[in-house]
Amino acid sequence: MTRATIKDVSRVAGVSIKTVSRVLNKERYVSDDMRQKVEEAVARLNYHPSLAARTLAGKRSFQIGLIHDNPSPYYIFNMQAGVGQRCREANFRMIIQPCDVNSPGLIDDIGALIDQAQLDGIIMTPPVTDVGTALAELFRRKIPVVRVQPGTDLTATSAVYIDNVQAADDMTAYLISLGHRRIGLVTGHANYFASGQRLTGYRQALQRAGIGFDATLVFPGQFDFQSGAAAADALLALDDPPTAIFASSDEMAAGVLAAAHRMGIRVPDRLSVAGFDDTDLAQVVWPSLTTIRQPIRDLGYAAADLLLEFGETIERRQLPHELIVRGSTAPPQA
Amino acid sequence: MTRATIKDVSRVAGVSIKTVSRVLNKERYVSDDMRQKVEEAVARLNYHPSLAARTLAGKRSFQIGLIHDNPSPYYIFNMQAGVGQRCREANFRMIIQPCDVNSPGLIDDIGALIDQAQLDGIIMTPPVTDVGTALAELFRRKIPVVRVQPGTDLTATSAVYIDNVQAADDMTAYLISLGHRRIGLVTGHANYFASGQRLTGYRQALQRAGIGFDATLVFPGQFDFQSGAAAADALLALDDPPTAIFASSDEMAAGVLAAAHRMGIRVPDRLSVAGFDDTDLAQVVWPSLTTIRQPIRDLGYAAADLLLEFGETIERRQLPHELIVRGSTAPPQA
DNA sequence: TTGAAATAAGATAACGCTGTCATACGCGAA
DNA sequence: TTCGCGTATGACAGCGTTATCTTATTTCAA
């Protein structure tokens, strides 16, 4: 028993091939009578149209690509879950393309992907979102693009994002409200635009509270565990160390926690630690992390939604973040 | 400027379409002369063959599917990385299909995937590997299948795996060698065959050391953080609590750590904790976890390799695990 | 009542490849 | 020389859809 084709369906339903195609594509000008006959035949034969044939004959491929260069399993997993969910709803398929932002072959790889699979659209996550040459290549091919948290050319493509400035402001303000005055900040990788935005939010909250900005309390990180631990080592070795450390990612916050544990500094009693993202990680470290929930899955869903609903039309969508208070933060000890 | 087709290439190279096709597919009977002309034209036009057309015309689709129902981002991420890598080497594409083992639509979903995309092969990860109805559907379609760590019908398909019994034995023996006599075990989800195998390895090591098996020291978990913490609560509340706890996953080990922290029990001084998998998580908790490194990425790579190299021919490959000693284990306090 | 537009259906040509078959050439054995 | 075989190339049909064009039929305003 081989696969059923549209021809089989048309024979069983007693209609022309084109009519079956019309029903499948929900085109107009099909009588209810015909539609029903076709649907019955489709069900009876358990027919599924060949994507290859549809792609070849039509202008659409029913496939979108997700391009990423992100070492965080949590991020990618949730992004895929969101995009995948929306794709499934629309009967689209998602093609994952990991890539290397620093590779010279990046543009060729992306081009090859689009050519070979004839993608209907592309979703990009940071930091690929901000590679000018890659963007240019996509424009050249006139393919719809949605970027997640883009940092540059904000209006060049559709985009979904959260308000990073406000989120960092929220967290900083929360720490201040607990009574902290010296708050360390571990920034993210310089490649990521969000890193700068979070610094802005941090400064903004400090200023509103009348707390002077102290550059020695800001330490550059790379979003990963190691750099979080290193930052904590440096910050806690200061003459006047911070009573709270706000890390721009949960991984770095985990690093801060580990460093504190290593030094015998009790968290949150002697040091408050805050993260960013609310990945699963936030709840599997001890104490569990106060963090900003970034709705990664929803961002993915929204990105796919923009692609499928609007196509080339440029659209933007901001999603809400949320301050999640857990056990890693407390008022500073007297 | 639209995409280049094989026709364009043939015109530029001054040869027939079929010759271009031959070069592309590395068929025999092509002179070096021709081959070079074609390759030049391909490069000049930046030509990439249409997957849709190849799939439709040929018998292969150059796509394989990765079917999973696994809530662990780490696992999936690394599995994808391994499979993806091998696919890229062979110029294949990987289609990800998350699914729900308990959904009644599972079989239809898999069938639709294969029909629509005309996949050349399927890779499955636990626990989907052991769903009999799904396996039957794949056999019916005569599609090559490679399973990762299958638990049932071991010889029914190609498979890649590690020796779970030996791995659990290794860890248990290591804890015994540190001087532990009462070793708690948190098992994994009953759906996973590996859970039972690890229990076997644990018992095997105990027996070899002449330590009696104590069923009260074995607590059922679900592979996740919560169940790890719950297991630790229960085990540490025993009249004669264990001095070491071996959790069958890093996530559960993280749960054990958190529970210990909560109770003020120092790790590893008062309690040794061991995990399984060596996911990234193992290094971002404190103290970092002694664990069994399961080469997930390599398993993925090997799975794709079996599929691409052997096709329908059933082949099996066992990969080595490794005991990784970190800070969460130590000799028991006197 | 008429005819132009809207509706409903089918016949047939692409789409860009691969598979099959046909053809042509060189070379060693008969 | 001739035959046959391995090698090298091309012509052309088809893969399973959608797009385009054509042919009814119905509807509705003038």
Side-chain angles (χ1 to χ4, degrees):
Chain A
M1 184 187 113
T2 171
R3 295 181 61 244
T5 71
I6 199 171
K7 209 164 166 182
D8 300 326
V9 175
S10 73
R11 199 176 308 120
V12 169
V15 304
S16 77
I17 289 181
K18 180 64 210 186
T19 299
V20 177
S21 175
R22 284 200 176 92
V23 173
L24 259 37
N25 292 287
K26 305 194 200 313
E27 287 176 26
R28 300 184 344 175
Y29 306 146
V30 183
S31 63
D32 291 345
D33 193 32
M34 287 279 161
R35 189 187 319 279
Q36 199 181 326
K37 273 198 256 175
V38 170
E39 277 165 359
E40 272 176 29
V42 165
R44 190 139 78 77
L45 295 174
N46 192 25
Y47 164 76
H48 299 285
S50 152
L51 256 184
R54 299 184 92 178
T55 303
L56 186 55
K59 306 194 176 324
R60 301 179 304 166
S61 71
F62 304 92
Q63 293 188 317
I64 65 177
L66 174 59
I67 299 180
H68 70 80
D69 171 18
N70 195 309
S72 164
Y74 283 120
Y75 190 91
I76 296 308
F77 182 83
N78 285 297
M79 183 59 61
Q80 283 184 15
V83 174
Q85 161 102 37
R86 187 64 186 84
C87 281
R88 225 162 304 126
E89 289 172 12
N91 240 299
F92 264 62
R93 229 163 270 295
M94 163 181 66
I95 307 283
I96 315 285
Q97 175 86 324
C99 67
D100 178 357
V101 164
N102 298 310
S103 153
L106 176 64
I107 302 166
D108 286 345
D109 286 353
I110 295 178
L113 173 69
I114 299 173
D115 273 359
Q116 290 187 350
Q118 269 134 277
L119 298 181
D120 289 340
I122 293 276
I123 295 175
M124 296 199 299
T125 67
V128 198
T129 43
D130 303 329
V131 178
T133 50
L135 269 183
E137 176 70 9
L138 295 175
F139 287 147
R140 205 175 64 71
R141 292 170 187 271
K142 301 193 194 313
I143 185 171
V145 174
V146 174
R147 289 182 298 162
V148 179
Q149 297 272 24
T152 59
D153 299 306
L154 263 38
T155 56
T157 68
S158 290
V160 296
Y161 51 91
I162 65 164
D163 187 338
N164 276 289
V165 175
Q166 187 59 49
D169 185 323
D170 289 352
M171 179 61 84
T172 309
Y174 168 70
L175 293 170
I176 293 170
S177 79
L178 286 177
H180 295 278
R181 304 285 294 176
R182 286 188 67 72
I183 301 172
L185 176 72
V186 190
T187 65
H189 198 289
N191 266 6
Y192 290 72
F193 198 75
S195 303
Q197 293 180 309
R198 291 175 195 172
L199 174 59
T200 302
Y202 165 83
R203 296 189 67 155
Q204 182 173 298
L206 287 182
Q207 185 174 3
R208 203 173 48 244
I211 301 175
F213 174 73
D214 180 351
T216 62
L217 288 179
V218 176
F219 200 90
Q222 315 274 315
F223 278 135
D224 66 339
F225 179 83
Q226 290 303 336
S227 62
D233 285 341
L235 288 170
L236 295 172
L238 291 175
D239 289 339
D240 189 4
T243 59
I245 295 181
F246 175 19
S248 296
S249 79
D250 288 345
E251 294 235 357
M252 293 196 296
V256 173
L257 280 183
H261 281 133
R262 200 184 335 106
M263 292 186 246
I265 298 175
R266 299 279 299 177
V267 175
D269 311 352
R270 295 281 311 276
L271 177 72
S272 283
V273 177
F276 200 109
D277 285 345
D278 194 29
T279 59
D280 295 0
L281 180 57
Q283 297 190 62
V284 302
V285 293
W286 192 87
S288 57
L289 288 172
T290 290
T291 189
I292 294 286
R293 182 173 128 70
Q294 187 175 194
I296 300 174
R297 205 195 140 103
D298 296 346
L299 283 169
Y301 187 93
D305 195 56
L306 288 188
L307 214 47
L308 298 175
E309 292 295 324
F310 296 96
E312 305 222 44
T313 311
I314 292 180
E315 200 79 10
R316 302 171 60 70
R317 205 172 283 173
Q318 177 175 308
L319 269 55
H321 59 269
E322 190 182 353
L323 173 67
I324 307 282
V325 176
R326 297 204 184 89
S328 66
T329 49
Q333 262 192 348
Chain B
M1 184 187 113
T2 172
R3 294 180 63 244
T5 72
I6 200 172
K7 209 165 166 182
D8 301 326
V9 176
S10 72
R11 199 177 307 121
V12 168
V15 303
S16 78
I17 289 182
K18 182 64 212 188
T19 299
V20 177
S21 174
R22 284 201 176 91
V23 173
L24 258 38
N25 291 289
K26 306 197 200 310
E27 287 176 26
R28 297 184 347 174
Y29 305 145
V30 183
S31 64
D32 291 346
D33 192 34
M34 287 279 161
R35 190 187 317 282
Q36 199 181 327
K37 271 198 255 175
V38 170
E39 277 164 0
E40 273 175 27
V42 165
R44 190 140 76 78
L45 294 174
N46 191 27
Y47 165 76
H48 300 286
S50 153
L51 256 184
R54 299 184 91 176
T55 303
L56 188 55
K59 307 195 176 322
R60 301 179 303 167
S61 71
F62 304 93
Q63 295 188 315
I64 65 178
L66 173 60
I67 300 181
H68 70 83
D69 170 17
N70 194 308
S72 163
Y74 283 120
Y75 190 91
I76 296 309
F77 182 82
N78 286 297
M79 184 58 61
Q80 283 184 15
V83 175
Q85 162 104 35
R86 187 65 186 82
C87 282
R88 226 162 303 125
E89 289 171 11
N91 240 301
F92 264 62
R93 229 163 270 296
M94 164 181 65
I95 308 282
I96 314 285
Q97 176 87 324
C99 68
D100 178 356
V101 165
N102 299 309
S103 153
L106 175 64
I107 301 165
D108 287 346
D109 285 354
I110 294 178
L113 174 69
I114 298 172
D115 273 359
Q116 289 187 352
Q118 269 135 274
L119 298 182
D120 290 339
I122 294 276
I123 294 174
M124 297 200 298
T125 67
V128 197
T129 43
D130 304 328
V131 178
T133 50
L135 269 183
E137 176 69 10
L138 295 175
F139 289 147
R140 206 175 63 71
R141 291 169 187 272
K142 302 193 195 312
I143 185 171
V145 174
V146 175
R147 289 182 298 162
V148 179
Q149 297 272 22
T152 60
D153 299 305
L154 263 39
T155 56
T157 68
S158 290
V160 296
Y161 51 92
I162 65 166
D163 186 339
N164 276 288
V165 175
Q166 187 59 48
D169 185 322
D170 289 352
M171 178 61 84
T172 309
Y174 168 70
L175 292 171
I176 292 171
S177 78
L178 286 177
H180 294 279
R181 305 283 298 176
R182 288 189 66 73
I183 301 171
L185 177 72
V186 190
T187 65
H189 198 288
N191 266 6
Y192 290 72
F193 198 75
S195 304
Q197 294 182 309
R198 291 175 196 171
L199 174 58
T200 302
Y202 164 83
R203 296 188 66 154
Q204 182 172 298
L206 286 182
Q207 186 174 0
R208 203 174 48 243
I211 301 175
F213 174 72
D214 181 350
T216 62
L217 288 178
V218 176
F219 201 90
Q222 314 274 316
F223 278 136
D224 66 336
F225 179 85
Q226 290 302 335
S227 62
D233 285 342
L235 289 170
L236 295 172
L238 292 175
D239 289 339
D240 188 4
T243 59
I245 295 181
F246 175 18
S248 295
S249 79
D250 289 345
E251 294 235 357
M252 292 197 297
V256 173
L257 280 183
H261 281 133
R262 199 182 339 103
M263 293 186 246
I265 298 175
R266 299 279 298 179
V267 174
D269 312 351
R270 295 283 311 276
L271 177 72
S272 283
V273 177
F276 199 110
D277 286 345
D278 194 29
T279 59
D280 296 0
L281 180 57
Q283 298 190 61
V284 302
V285 294
W286 192 88
S288 57
L289 286 172
T290 290
T291 189
I292 294 287
R293 182 174 126 70
Q294 185 175 196
I296 301 174
R297 205 194 140 103
D298 297 345
L299 284 169
Y301 187 94
D305 195 54
L306 287 189
L307 214 48
L308 299 175
E309 293 294 325
F310 296 96
E312 305 222 45
T313 311
I314 292 181
E315 199 79 10
R316 303 171 59 70
R317 205 172 282 174
Q318 177 175 307
L319 269 56
H321 61 268
E322 190 183 352
L323 173 67
I324 307 281
V325 176
R326 297 205 184 87
S328 65
T329 49
Q333 260 190 353

